[in-house]
Amino acid sequence: MGALALGPLAACGTSTGAGSSDNRLRVAFSTSGDRESLDPHTSTLFVDQARSKALFDTLLGYDQDMSPVPRLAESWEPDETGKRWRIRLREARFHDNEPVTAEDVLYSYRRIADPATGSPAQPQLSGVDFEASGANSDRELVIVLSEPDFTFPTAMGAPATEIVPAGTTDFGEPIGSGPFRFVSFETGGSAVFERFADHWNGAPKPDELEFVSVDEEDARVSALLSGQVHYSHDIGANSVATVDNDSRARILATPYSTMQAVAFKVDRPPFNDNRVLRAVLSGVDREALVKVVLNERGELGNDLFGKGLKYYPEEIPQRERDVDHARALLREADAEGLEFELHTSSADPYFEPAANLISEQLGEIGLKVRPRVGPSETYYSDIRKKGVAGHTRTATLPITSYLSKRLRESSVSANYTGYDSAEFDGLYDQAVATRDEKKREELLADAQRHARNHSGMMVWGFSNWNVGVSSQVGGLTAATPNSTRWARFDEAELG
């Protein structure tokens, strides 16, 4: 494989490819500029998670339906109370040939649970009682929870829960137990890793893996079709047809895998008035958004996360547009003619067209909505702090993980709406402490009903998950985001 020679990628900080292997797989992702690091516990963007997956490993992963599957852990069992979990590790080694031990797991989990680390997975491990937890041997540990949780395995498979060697604080040249090991990294630019032949699951097929920084979707598609990269992440519906009509590449599509939503902040005016929130929810035409913005390559949303996944309450009727009801709610709230900005960005190819259409739709109920485009590099951190409404998306996660991580006030890193409900928290806590599966499902459905009407998360659709792959590459399959097989580059074959 030759060097990357074309100008646009060089401008994005791409490696020249000098000294690279002919068996180097190049993958293009959007990045977050100089804010990046290789610390797996602070990963938030897809590129962060993909690099972490290459360098590190988690105890568990997720199958396509988000059920837990083994990675570094070969077994996990709760006691009758749901508070004590015994975990048995497989034989695995770090890149420096040291074994992965129970102490490494405990250190990693303590670091993730420490609020000072700033990990997005911190809420999922905040219930661990580390004083009571401990290692029974090098390959067995017991994790004790402060409260019963029969869904705890979902936390052990979550993004940003990778295991690092005990005592690690510097990730400039990180050591992990993943299928690739570190060679070089430039923030906002390229990262180069090499094959780790002693990986517990076998040696990767590529000799080298390079992550290439390409922020704009059009540029990622062009780089794929020109042969500069072999894999192009996150392709929108309009670009799918371009790739489909070109023999040099193909699309791997996973149906409706990404929630498309607008987060309305319910902890501040005007959406702390539930009448205004309900007016917006009634005023949006979800069918038109799926048809126009997703080009009919997606699924209708019902202001709920996780369509098709376990614990999704299918019995809740679809929310339909009702302009008259929306106008009546605004009159009741004395909010006719209300103006607000709707934050959007190129961070997702659907955000900006959706913002324009939603602005038109809400104009028909008497609101004045102005789309405001922000930089993709800082977009998600910006909308957590600024404004009252902003587009967001969430790739597939276990529904219990989403509910605990995105809809609790304590989930400061991922709660975009400021939703804080004792009723929701009580229903959720009761559900995960319930051993009986049917009763747990009923309680989780009740929690989701409350969140649907009060959380401020307006889910208008689910987009297909599309990635572009060069025709020269085999071994990659369509995979649900955040599943074990997503961005699993160790099985890719260049030919």
Side-chain angles (χ1 to χ4, degrees):
M1 184 71 187
L4 299 185
L6 299 185
L9 287 187
C12 295
T14 300
S15 165
T16 64
S20 65
S21 165
D22 288 340
N23 191 22
R24 174 183 284 192
L25 183 75
R26 291 182 172 89
V27 297
F29 284 76
S30 61
T31 61
S32 59
D34 59 8
R35 298 169 52 251
E36 295 179 332
S37 81
L38 295 180
D39 182 344
H41 299 157
T42 59
S43 300
T44 55
L45 298 181
F46 280 123
V47 66
D48 299 324
Q49 294 169 12
R51 287 187 300 232
S52 293
K53 180 175 288 191
L55 291 173
F56 304 93
D57 216 332
T58 50
L59 290 190
L60 304 181
Y62 297 143
D63 209 342
Q64 296 287 74
D65 64 356
M66 296 289 106
S67 58
V69 293
R71 293 296 299 173
L72 290 174
E74 60 182 17
S75 66
W76 55 96
E77 292 290 338
D79 68 359
E80 292 185 357
T81 70
K83 293 179 67 174
R84 295 179 64 88
W85 288 81
R86 188 174 67 174
I87 300 159
R88 179 76 177 170
L89 303 179
R90 70 172 72 251
E91 290 188 19
R93 293 193 172 275
F94 289 110
H95 300 153
D96 61 0
N97 204 37
E98 292 295 320
V100 178
T101 69
E103 291 298 339
D104 298 314
V105 175
L106 291 167
Y107 171 82
S108 298
Y109 279 12
R110 286 190 188 97
R111 184 173 187 269
I112 294 163
D114 183 351
T117 302
S119 176
Q122 187 273 335
Q124 293 177 300
L125 296 180
S126 60
V128 175
D129 181 346
F130 287 104
E131 292 297 323
S133 302
N136 292 340
S137 68
D138 281 351
R139 290 182 54 202
E140 185 176 282
L141 67 150
V142 173
I143 291 182
V144 180
L145 308 179
S146 56
E147 301 292 340
D149 186 356
F150 287 97
T151 68
F152 183 66
T154 62
M156 294 189 284
T161 61
E162 283 78 5
I163 306 306
V164 304
T168 302
T169 58
D170 184 354
F171 293 90
E173 297 184 8
I175 293 173
S177 63
F180 295 92
R181 57 186 177 188
F182 175 83
V183 174
S184 65
F185 172 59
E186 178 186 356
T187 56
S190 76
V192 178
F193 307 146
E194 65 182 3
R195 172 191 306 189
F196 178 46
D198 294 327
H199 187 247
W200 63 264
N201 199 33
K205 292 175 180 176
D207 291 334
E208 295 177 326
L209 172 64
E210 180 178 4
F211 285 84
V212 177
S213 171
V214 189
D215 288 336
E216 298 301 323
E217 178 198 358
D218 289 347
R220 289 197 299 276
V221 172
S222 296
L224 175 68
L225 297 180
S226 68
Q228 291 184 300
V229 300
H230 304 102
Y231 173 101
S232 181
H233 189 254
D234 204 1
I235 304 298
N238 292 332
S239 296
V240 166
T242 301
V243 178
D244 278 342
N245 292 325
D246 196 307
S247 62
R248 294 173 294 179
R250 67 190 187 278
I251 292 291
L252 301 179
T254 308
Y256 47 92
S257 295
T258 305
M259 178 190 81
Q260 296 288 340
V262 176
F264 296 96
K265 288 184 167 57
V266 295
D267 62 346
R268 65 195 66 175
F271 299 110
N272 58 347
D273 186 328
N274 190 251
R275 295 169 298 184
V276 178
L277 175 63
R278 285 184 287 132
V280 168
L281 297 178
S282 294
V284 170
D285 187 340
R286 294 161 183 78
E287 290 186 0
L289 283 160
V290 171
K291 181 178 181 180
V292 175
V293 178
L294 300 186
N295 198 21
E296 298 185 338
R297 295 176 183 262
E299 190 81 4
L300 198 64
N302 194 25
D303 301 336
L304 292 161
F305 172 79
K307 195 165 192 173
L309 298 181
K310 186 177 183 179
Y311 299 129
Y312 183 86
E314 299 278 0
E315 69 277 8
I316 295 179
Q318 175 65 44
R319 181 168 273 148
E320 298 181 354
R321 193 184 197 204
D322 189 335
V323 171
D324 291 339
H325 180 57
R327 288 173 175 166
L329 286 168
L330 291 176
R331 285 195 298 271
E332 183 181 334
D334 194 24
E336 293 173 290
L338 176 72
E339 300 183 19
F340 65 89
E341 289 184 335
L342 176 55
H343 288 253
T344 188
S345 168
S346 63
D348 182 283
Y350 304 123
F351 283 1
E352 292 186 55
N356 292 330
L357 185 52
I358 289 172
S359 297
E360 293 176 13
Q361 293 173 352
L362 295 183
E364 295 170 8
I365 69 169
L367 296 176
K368 298 178 182 178
V369 183
R370 299 183 304 279
R372 178 170 181 168
V373 180
S376 60
E377 296 86 355
T378 59
Y379 176 71
Y380 292 102
S381 60
D382 290 343
I383 64 170
R384 278 199 299 269
K385 305 170 186 175
K386 302 175 183 177
V388 299
H391 282 270
T392 186
R393 69 176 185 181
T394 301
T396 310
L397 290 168
I399 282 179
T400 51
S401 296
Y402 175 82
L403 297 179
S404 65
K405 187 176 178 183
R406 306 297 174 98
L407 297 183
R408 286 178 177 266
E409 190 276 334
S410 59
S411 302
V412 292
S413 66
N415 184 337
Y416 289 97
T417 69
Y419 176 56
D420 182 12
S421 168
E423 180 177 347
F424 171 84
D425 289 355
L427 288 166
Y428 177 83
D429 291 341
Q430 187 180 353
V432 299
T434 299
R435 191 180 187 93
D436 181 80
E437 179 74 13
K438 189 174 188 304
K439 180 61 175 175
R440 186 188 312 143
E441 184 175 356
E442 293 171 356
L443 289 165
L444 288 171
D446 288 343
Q448 290 174 87
R449 286 188 183 93
H450 187 277
R452 180 174 180 261
N453 294 320
H454 298 276
S455 73
M457 193 63 73
M458 190 274 288
V459 182
W460 59 264
F462 291 87
S463 57
N464 293 353
W465 186 258
N466 307 307
V467 299
V469 178
S470 168
S471 299
Q472 301 176 20
V473 176
L476 298 178
T477 60
T480 304
N482 292 320
S483 69
T484 296
R485 293 195 64 83
W486 170 79
R488 179 61 58 187
F489 298 121
D490 43 313
E491 298 180 5
E493 293 184 274
L494 285 168

